[in-house]
């Protein structure tokens, strides 16, 4: 996650995120901080508003949409250092002030310049045009995709970089007054002209008369390592195919290096014409014309006559190579022009569309020091000298302007001025470039050694130039071969071999006319200068060094009128390792990039500056007068209170909108105090916030409970009203409201509802019972008792018939024996003094041996009697009624009854149904009578379990 707060004060475990805040500005501290941040995965570090970038040699998850949103619209130092921060600063500066800005990316090969330019383009494309208008999206897509095409044709794999840009690129992105991109323009500088085809399919190579074997061709088996096909960049295949649909055959001139020459007397001839035939076929030209261009040069005399001058064998070789390189250079220039034709702003009317502003992005080769440094390295290092000169001047100018804006007195800053080196290289008549041009214009055979002697003569007193002749004791240089320039980045020894040949324009007019007359319209379009006849060509073309110098001067002028932002790229090691940090290698780059001098310039006046509001926001907790909010007239007064409380008043200056701090130690003291206070403040804020959350939860709970209470009350009242309405007329109803449907109660009234229904049932029962005669009450009570224990447990227990209880005394049931029983019961009543007969009937007793006999059963309110019906109902056994502990009956229709007695074995009986009504069930009656009797006595809890 991206940290909030200012990046200068990023966590100290990651080192100083701005080199300006170093304790001491020394190379040791600078390198220690750079190494620490690289090891912690922090590849970006500030020097004020300059971004120092170290190539991580791995994918990093800091470039997605979330990161873009984190940096969009934020101030430069609000987030940790990042390319997005400087990109956003350049964009905001351009949009707010309607002023052109530029981002200059520099560093040596392999330091990550090209990748940095891609991320900058990606960010600018992402933050513009939120409405996603079609025309703006189209411009953005072309600008982004043009990188892939240019890399495919202009990059190469070298020993030091897998994707080395062998050309310099400056891109202007045009914006309208809304800040949306409307177009752009690309300039390329010093393209290395030796680029070869790699990545084509076998079918394509066959159509070009080529083979996929670098050893077969002179151009791919000789020269510097990056000339070798096997070491070149793997091209972006899709872009490669798209751009070469009509003219990829131009690269077939790789086989032109296989054209060989031999002397034939005083003339030169070509050995074998197969390669010439292939070239003619693929360039849509005549083989004879190609041979003439390779062997002869057309020259116009002073009188206007035209003659053909035959080449020497050496001139033929030079012409052949120059032709092949020129074809590649023209192709690359043609691709750039095609891209520009698409992205350039057309028909822009400032009155209609507002002012057109520009952001320039410069991705150019960095300073180069090789074991063998030639003309290309000289031009590249000259370019870097010019850019360093501009860098120092603009950085100082920015400092001076800020001091003036803030009303701070400007103090002169001493710094190394590399104007003396720039003059050494470009000064008219005295500079190295002028000496090279002069040698190229001299009539006769002027060699590189002669040119070196001329430089030794004219530059012998220059403090930044030397050679072996001027310093004979320096054996690191060879006589008549080397000279050394003391650049701002370090001493570079150059070999003069090939300087003059590379500086001359060896492409004769014959080759230009040959290509202009090609039947291929694309080729013809690439060589417009070929339409001139030999008599019209009077002016000698500029040398390569002069052309490059003019383009660099124009570039510097273009950058000088824009507000600059800088990205300084560093290569951490030569092994392309994501963990290795080569101290010596990195220190060398830091030195020649002038980063230490940049820090000194930034700190010469005031090391740190910050707007009052942001300074106050970060450090207000360190002062009792500003925490949590101040009551002073302005933020400036509050900042002054903080400074005075800490005793820093002698180390600061107050600008119109910013505080300037001279010594970084003051800032570190504030930061340390802030770090000590943060845990306390965090705990305090947590406590306050938790309290606020608890109080809010409490208020919500109280409100919820209040609402619940009122709602429950409403539901209760609603239920009461519904019950009252439903049972308002039950007294007058025939069934006393027995069939009235009860309203469903709320959950809180379930128990109350059950009680209410029970009360209603009792009231209903009372109303029904009131209409029952007193003589029937005993039977009713017995039936209710039976119903209580048998409902749902026995199929038929006789509730629908009249219960007579004392069946043995009933004449209808037992006409012959009833009189005997009556007499016997009177005797027992007098003897045992019981009050009433509860139940009597004939039954069949079953013993444990499965033998059964007829018996009479008499149950009184005191005793239970077993009688012998055949002997005048003689009492066979008597036991107290209260000795019965339980009664068991079955769930069927049988008349089996088991009396559980505590004083003896259980008694198993089968009750007789009676002679008049054989289907009569008397088990329910016996059980109901006894349950009613015991219930009223509250002596026995009858088990309802049926077995």
């Amino acid at each position: 996650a991206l940290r909030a707060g200012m990046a200068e004060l990023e966590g100290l475990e990651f080192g100083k995120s701005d080199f300006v805040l170093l304790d001491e500005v020394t190379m040791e501290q600078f390198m220690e901080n750079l190494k620490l941040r690289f090891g912690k995965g922090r590849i970006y570090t500030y020097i004020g508003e300059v971004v120092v970038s170290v190539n991580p040699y791995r994918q990093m998850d800091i470039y997605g949409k979330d990161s873009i949103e984190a940096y969009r619209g934020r101030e430069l130092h609000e987030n940790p250092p990042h390319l997005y921060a400087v990109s956003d600063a350049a964009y905001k500066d351009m949009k707010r002030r309607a002023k052109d800005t530029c981002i200059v990316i520099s560093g040596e090969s392999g330091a990550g310049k090209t990748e940095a330019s891609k991320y900058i383009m990606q960010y600018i494309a992402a933050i513009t045009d939120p409405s996603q208008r079609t025309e703006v999206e189209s411009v953005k897509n072309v600008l982004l995709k043009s990188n892939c095409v240019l890399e495919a044709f202009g990059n190469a794999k070298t020993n030091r970089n897998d994707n080395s840009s062998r050309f310099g690129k400056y891109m202007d992105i045009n914006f309208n007054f809304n800040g949306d991109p409307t177009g752009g323009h690309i300039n390329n500088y010093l393209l290395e002209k030796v680029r070869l085809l790699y990545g084509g399919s076998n079918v394509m190579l066959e159509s070009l008369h080529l083979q996929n074997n670098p050893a077969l061709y002179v151009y791919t088996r000789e020269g510097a390592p990056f000339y070798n096909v096997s070491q070149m960049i793997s091209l972006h295949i899709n872009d490669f195919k798209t751009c070469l649909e009509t003219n990829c055959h131009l690269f077939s001139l790789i086989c032109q290096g296989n054209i060989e020459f031999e002397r034939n007397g005083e003339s030169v001839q070509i050995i074998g014409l197969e390669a010439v035939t292939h070239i003619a076929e693929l360039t849509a030209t005549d083989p004879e014309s190609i041979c003439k261009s390779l062997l002869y040069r057309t020259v116009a005399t002073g009188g206007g006559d035209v003659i053909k001058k035959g080449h020497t064998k050496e001139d033929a070789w030079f012409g052949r190579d120059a032709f092949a390189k020129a074809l590649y250079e023209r192709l690359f220039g043609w691709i750039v022009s095609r891209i520009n034709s698409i992205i350039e702003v057309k028909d822009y009317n400032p009155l209609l569309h507002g002012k057109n502003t520009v952001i320039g992005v410069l991705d150019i080769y960095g300073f180069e020091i090789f074991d063998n440094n030639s003309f290309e390295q000289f031009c590249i290092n000259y370019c870097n000298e010019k850019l360093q000169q501009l860098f120092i001047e603009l950085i100082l100018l920015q400092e001076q302007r800020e001091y003036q804006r803030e009303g701070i007195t400007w103090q002169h800053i001493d710094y190394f001025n590399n104007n003396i080196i720039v003059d050494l290289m470009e000064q008219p008549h005295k500079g190295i470039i002028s000496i090279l041009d002069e040698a190229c214009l001299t009539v006769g055979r002027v060699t590189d050694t002669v040119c070196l002697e001329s430089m030794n003569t004219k530059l012998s007193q220059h403090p930044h130039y030397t050679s072996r002749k001027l310093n004979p004791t320096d054996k690191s240089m060879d006589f008549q071969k080397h000279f050394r320039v003391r650049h701002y980045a370090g001493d570079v020894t150059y070999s003069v071999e090939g300087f003059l040949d590379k500086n001359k324009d060896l492409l004769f007019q014959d080759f230009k006319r040959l290509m202009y007359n090609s039947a291929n319209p694309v080729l013809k379009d690439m060589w417009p200068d070929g339409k001139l006849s030999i008599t019209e060509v009077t002016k000698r073309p500029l040398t390569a060094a002069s052309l490059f110098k003019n383009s660099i001067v124009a570039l510097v002028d273009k950058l000088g009128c824009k507000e600059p932002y800088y990205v300084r790229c560093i290569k951490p090691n030569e092994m392309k390792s994501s963990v290795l940090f080569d101290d010596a290698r990195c220190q060398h780059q830091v030195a020649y990039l002038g980063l230490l001098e940049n820090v000194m310039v930034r700190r010469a006046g005031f090391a740190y500056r910050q707007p009052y509001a942001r300074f106050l926001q970060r450090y207000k907790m360190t002062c009792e007068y500003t925490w949590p909010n101040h009551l002073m007239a302005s933020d400036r007064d509050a900042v002054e209170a903080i400074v005075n409380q800490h005793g820093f008043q002698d180390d600061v200056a107050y600008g119109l909108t910013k505080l300037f701090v001279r010594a970084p130690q003051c800032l570190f003291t504030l930061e340390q105090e802030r770090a000590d206070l943060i845990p306390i403040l965090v705990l305090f804020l947590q406590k306050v916030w938790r309290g606020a959350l608890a109080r809010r939860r409490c208020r919500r709970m109280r409100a919820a409970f209040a609402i619940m209470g009122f709602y429950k009350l409403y539901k209760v009242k609603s239920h009461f009203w519904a019950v009252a309405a439903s049972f308002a007329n039950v007294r007058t109803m025939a069934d006393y409201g027995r069939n009235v449907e009860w309203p469903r109660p709320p959950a809180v009234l379930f128990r109350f509802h059950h009680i209410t229904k029970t009360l209603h049932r009792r009231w209903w029962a009372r109303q029904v019972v009131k209409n029952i005669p007193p003589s029937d009450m005993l039977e009713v009570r017995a039936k209710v008792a039976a119903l209580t224990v048998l409902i749902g447990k026995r199929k038929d227990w006789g509730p629908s018939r009249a219960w007579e209880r004392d069946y043995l005394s009933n004449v209808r049931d037992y006409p012959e024996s009833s009189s005997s029983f009556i007499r016997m019961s009177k005797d027992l009543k007098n003897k045992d003094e019981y009050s009433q007969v509860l139940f009597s009937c004939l039954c069949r007793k079953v013993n444990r041996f499965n033998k059964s006999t007829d018996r009479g059963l008499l149950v009184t309110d005191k005793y239970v009697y077993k009688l012998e019906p055949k002997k005048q109902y003689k009492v066979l056994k008597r036991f107290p009624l209260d000795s019965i502990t339980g009664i068991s009956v079955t769930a069927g229709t049988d008349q089996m009854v088991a009396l559980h007695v505590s004083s003896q074995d259980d008694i198993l009986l089968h009750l007789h149904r009676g002679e008049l009504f054989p289907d009569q069930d008397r088990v329910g009656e016996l059980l109901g009578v006894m349950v009613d009797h015991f219930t009223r006595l509250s002596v026995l809890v009858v088990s309802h379990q049926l077995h």
Side-chain angles (χ1 to χ4, degrees), residues 213-226:
N213 184 1
L216 296 177
Y217 304 99
V218 173
Y219 288 164
T220 60
R221 67 169 181 258
E222 297 178 354
F226 54 83

Side-chain angles (χ1 to χ4, degrees), residues 117-159:
S117 69
K118 288 181 187 177
Y119 288 127
I120 290 171
M121 294 287 295
Q122 175 199 53
Y123 181 82
I124 294 174
I127 64 172
T128 53
D129 187 32
S131 59
Q132 300 293 306
R133 286 180 293 143
T134 305
E135 64 275 16
V136 177
E137 288 300 306
S138 175
V139 171
K140 286 159 54 175
N141 288 335
V142 174
L143 289 172
L144 289 175
K145 292 180 180 178
S146 66
N147 269 330
C148 298
V149 179
L150 295 176
E151 283 186 32
F153 285 89
N155 285 22
K157 180 175 180 178
T158 70
N159 286 337

Side-chain angles (χ1 to χ4, degrees), residues 215-460:
L216 296 177
Y217 304 99
V218 173
Y219 288 164
T220 60
R221 67 169 181 258
E222 297 178 354
F226 54 83
Y227 291 172
N228 194 323
V229 170
S230 63
Q231 292 177 328
M232 287 190 178
I233 179 176
S234 298
L235 301 181
H236 301 265
I237 298 300
N238 292 333
D239 301 314
F240 178 83
K241 291 178 179 178
T242 301
C243 294
L244 293 186
E245 283 177 355
T246 59
N247 57 358
C248 65
H249 55 276
L250 296 180
F251 282 100
S252 69
L253 292 178
I254 184 176
C255 66
Q256 187 169 323
N258 283 13
I259 298 177
E260 292 293 340
F261 306 94
E262 65 178 359
R263 296 183 185 276
N264 184 14
E266 295 183 358
S267 62
V268 176
Q269 65 181 15
I270 298 174
I271 304 175
L273 297 177
E274 183 181 2
V276 174
T277 304
H278 292 164
I279 294 169
E281 176 187 342
L282 296 169
T283 57
T285 56
D286 179 41
E288 184 178 354
S289 299
I290 292 178
C291 289
K292 289 180 179 180
S293 300
L294 290 170
L295 297 175
Y296 300 97
R297 176 185 178 189
T298 306
V299 181
T301 64
D305 296 331
V306 177
I307 61 173
K308 285 189 176 180
K309 181 180 178 182
H311 288 315
T312 64
K313 188 176 180 180
E314 290 76 12
D315 288 342
W317 281 338
F318 286 135
R320 175 198 67 182
D321 296 346
F323 183 30
K325 295 177 183 179
L327 274 170
Y328 170 67
E329 181 184 28
R330 295 289 177 113
L331 171 62
F332 192 82
W334 179 83
I335 293 173
V336 173
S337 66
R338 286 294 300 272
I339 295 174
N340 284 335
S341 68
I342 298 173
I343 63 176
E344 280 181 340
V345 181
K346 301 176 181 66
D347 303 325
Y348 190 86
N349 186 346
L351 296 178
L352 183 63
H353 302 101
K355 183 180 178 182
N356 184 2
T357 50
V358 167
I359 292 180
V361 179
L362 177 63
D363 171 13
I364 201 162
Y365 19 61
F367 199 85
E368 293 189 347
I369 305 177
F370 298 145
D371 293 335
N372 182 29
N373 301 287
S374 188
F375 179 77
E376 291 83 5
Q377 282 67 49
F378 176 81
C379 292
I380 288 172
N381 294 340
Y382 163 66
C383 170
N384 279 270
E385 287 287 357
K386 291 289 290 183
L387 292 177
Q388 177 68 11
Q389 182 185 44
L390 177 69
F391 173 72
I392 293 295
E393 289 177 356
L394 292 180
I395 288 295
L396 287 174
L397 187 61
Q398 283 180 337
E399 287 285 295
Q400 185 174 1
R401 285 177 179 172
E402 182 168 25
Y403 280 35
Q404 290 173 348
R405 282 196 306 267
E406 294 294 327
I408 304 296
T409 303
W410 169 256
Q411 297 178 351
H412 175 72
I413 298 174
D414 292 325
Y415 66 97
F416 172 69
N417 191 333
N418 69 333
N419 283 340
I420 187 172
I421 303 175
V422 174
D423 290 342
L424 168 65
M425 304 179 81
E426 72 171 11
Q427 190 175 15
H429 309 299
K430 296 181 180 180
I432 295 175
I433 293 176
S434 295
I435 297 173
L436 286 173
D437 289 351
E438 182 180 341
C440 291
L441 295 174
T442 301
V443 179
R445 192 68 177 173
V446 179
T447 64
D448 296 322
T449 303
V450 174
C451 181
L452 178 59
E453 288 297 327
S454 178
M455 287 192 289
N456 288 337
T457 301
K458 295 183 178 182
L459 303 173
S460 60

Side-chain angles (χ1 to χ4, degrees), residues 146-190:
S146 66
N147 269 330
C148 298
V149 179
L150 295 176
E151 283 186 32
F153 285 89
N155 285 22
K157 180 175 180 178
T158 70
N159 286 337
R160 304 183 67 183
N161 185 4
D162 288 342
N163 190 24
S164 177
S165 298
R166 307 316 299 168
F167 68 102
K169 180 184 69 176
Y170 175 75
M171 176 182 289
D172 269 335
I173 309 172
N174 299 87
F175 295 85
N176 60 17
F177 71 99
N178 284 328
D180 296 329
T182 58
H185 183 84
I186 298 174
N187 286 6
N188 64 290
Y189 301 93
L190 194 64

Side-chain angles (χ1 to χ4, degrees), residues 743-799:
R744 180 175 176 80
V748 70
L749 291 180
F750 277 169
R751 185 163 177 265
F752 173 80
H753 177 72
H754 176 72
I755 295 173
T756 305
K757 289 181 70 174
T758 302
L759 291 175
H760 175 261
R761 285 196 298 269
R762 289 181 178 179
W763 176 82
W764 172 83
R766 190 182 300 277
Q767 299 304 314
V768 173
V769 168
K770 284 195 304 187
N771 297 324
I772 299 174
S775 59
D776 296 339
M777 283 302 297
L778 286 176
E779 181 181 352
V780 170
R781 292 179 65 89
K783 287 183 175 181
V784 169
L787 174 67
T788 303
V789 296
L790 294 178
I791 185 170
K793 299 178 181 179
R794 186 174 172 87
K795 294 180 179 179
D796 182 22
W797 46 274

Side-chain angles (χ1 to χ4, degrees), residues 728-748:
N729 301 317
V730 293
R731 293 181 181 277
T732 60
M733 294 179 183
D735 62 351
Y736 297 106
R738 183 178 181 182
N739 295 321
V740 173
E741 184 178 357
W742 284 80
R744 180 175 176 80
V748 70

Side-chain angles (χ1 to χ4, degrees), residues 31 129 273 344 392 475 586 796 808 813 829 905 947:
M31 294 303 301
D129 187 32
L273 297 177
E344 280 181 340
I392 293 295
K475 295 183 180 181
C586 294
D796 182 22
L808 291 178
D813 286 341
K829 185 175 183 180
D905 293 338
H947 304 285

